[in-house]
Amino acid sequence: MDKVKILVVDDEERMRKLVRDFLEKEGYEVLEAADGMEAMDLFYKDKDIALVILDVMMPKMDGWQVLREIRQTSKVPVIMLTARSEERDELQGFELGVDEYVSKPFSPKILVARVNAVLRRSSSGEEEETIRADGICIDKVAHQVTIDGKPIDLSYKEFELLTYFVENQGIALSREKILNNVWNYDYFGDARTIDTHVKKLRSKLGEKGNYIKTIWGMGYKFEVE
């Protein structure tokens, strides 16, 4: 079976090597580019690239320009790396079609977890209509959830929230990220909306509600004990 190909684009050789080493340990094949123009040459040449990890600040052609060009012809998942975590940068990225956003400095293990989650999500639209986690079964087509075979009644947003949590098991999710992905980017709510829905969702999940961990000052993480 062919390895999944990932294109890593960063003008810092040390950063590329760090990311490559961790991804190769995970079984991925890694292509590297030191600037945006080199990245686009590789992208057009190799049609099997499954995901792009893209730095924002680069010479010749920055990450935003590369992303715009990629999105003209492809929906390949893109994870943006940035040294700045300003909200307007993040919103610009989402508007242009970024799938994930990782701020430097980051843990390579967390980046690998994000890569795994993004690839799972991108393939789930084609393959996984049902996802499971320790007795929780989510039927995405029928929009139904069962726990140990017994159906539970969730609102539309509770269903979307649980699906997002389960598809991103083990990954710490900020409230902003949850708002962006579950309530969509044009939603002008606040964190209390998420906290209220999580509280109701935990209650409906019973004992399995404990799988939704609170990360104080940040957000939540779904983790099977």
Side-chain angles (χ1 to χ4, degrees):
M1 185 175 173
D2 292 338
K3 291 183 178 181
V4 174
K5 286 184 186 177
I6 296 176
L7 173 59
V8 177
V9 190
D10 196 306
D11 60 328
E12 293 182 54
E13 186 178 356
R14 181 185 58 82
M15 180 64 69
R16 293 199 309 274
K17 183 181 185 308
L18 178 68
V19 173
R20 185 188 71 219
D21 288 348
F22 273 84
L23 289 173
E24 287 180 344
K25 282 179 190 172
E26 194 74 7
Y28 294 112
E29 180 180 342
V30 178
L31 306 177
E32 294 182 47
D35 60 62
M37 292 178 71
E38 186 183 353
M40 291 315 305
D41 287 343
L42 280 170
F43 186 76
Y44 288 132
K45 190 184 299 181
D46 195 325
K47 301 301 181 186
D48 295 328
I49 292 170
L51 181 140
V52 179
I53 297 174
L54 182 60
D55 188 33
V56 171
M57 304 299 289
M58 291 185 297
K60 296 184 183 178
M61 189 176 181
D62 69 18
W64 301 129
Q65 292 173 286
V66 174
L67 178 61
R68 286 189 186 95
E69 190 163 332
I70 286 175
R71 283 290 172 260
Q72 288 176 10
T73 59
S74 172
K75 293 182 179 179
V76 65
V78 175
I79 296 177
M80 293 290 279
L81 305 178
T82 179
R84 298 177 299 178
S85 57
E86 295 180 15
E87 187 180 65
R88 66 172 179 270
D89 286 342
E90 192 159 337
L91 289 172
Q92 179 181 357
F94 284 130
E95 285 167 5
L96 291 173
V98 168
D99 294 84
E100 274 285 0
Y101 217 89
V102 178
S103 297
K104 294 178 179 179
F106 55 83
S107 157
K109 289 182 180 178
I110 292 296
L111 178 62
V112 170
R114 296 276 176 90
V115 166
N116 291 338
V118 169
L119 287 172
R120 251 197 328 268
R121 286 207 304 269
S122 67
S123 65
S124 67
E126 302 164 13
E127 300 169 11
E128 294 184 47
E129 295 176 346
T130 302
I131 53 176
R132 294 178 173 81
D134 193 41
I136 300 171
C137 179
I138 303 172
D139 185 331
K140 294 167 75 172
V141 176
H143 233 256
Q144 293 178 338
V145 175
T146 59
I147 294 181
D148 297 327
K150 297 178 181 177
I152 61 169
D153 185 28
L154 299 181
S155 70
Y156 180 80
K157 281 301 175 192
E158 288 165 355
F159 179 90
E160 295 290 308
L161 183 59
L162 177 61
T163 300
Y164 185 60
F165 278 145
V166 174
E167 286 182 336
N168 290 278
Q169 288 184 59
I171 298 175
L173 302 166
S174 68
R175 287 177 173 84
E176 290 76 16
K177 192 174 291 293
I178 296 169
L179 275 174
N180 283 337
N181 285 274
V182 178
W183 274 265
N184 296 319
Y185 316 128
D186 57 356
Y187 179 81
F188 296 101
D190 59 31
R192 286 173 295 184
T193 301
I194 296 172
D195 296 339
T196 301
H197 278 77
V198 167
K199 186 176 179 181
K200 290 179 181 176
L201 182 57
R202 278 177 173 153
S203 175
K204 291 183 179 182
L205 292 176
E207 290 182 359
K208 297 188 190 297
N210 295 327
Y211 295 163
I212 303 173
K213 319 284 188 191
T214 299
I215 301 175
W216 298 110
M218 182 196 172
Y220 297 94
K221 176 167 67 171
F222 185 93
E223 199 163 46
V224 173
E225 296 167 340

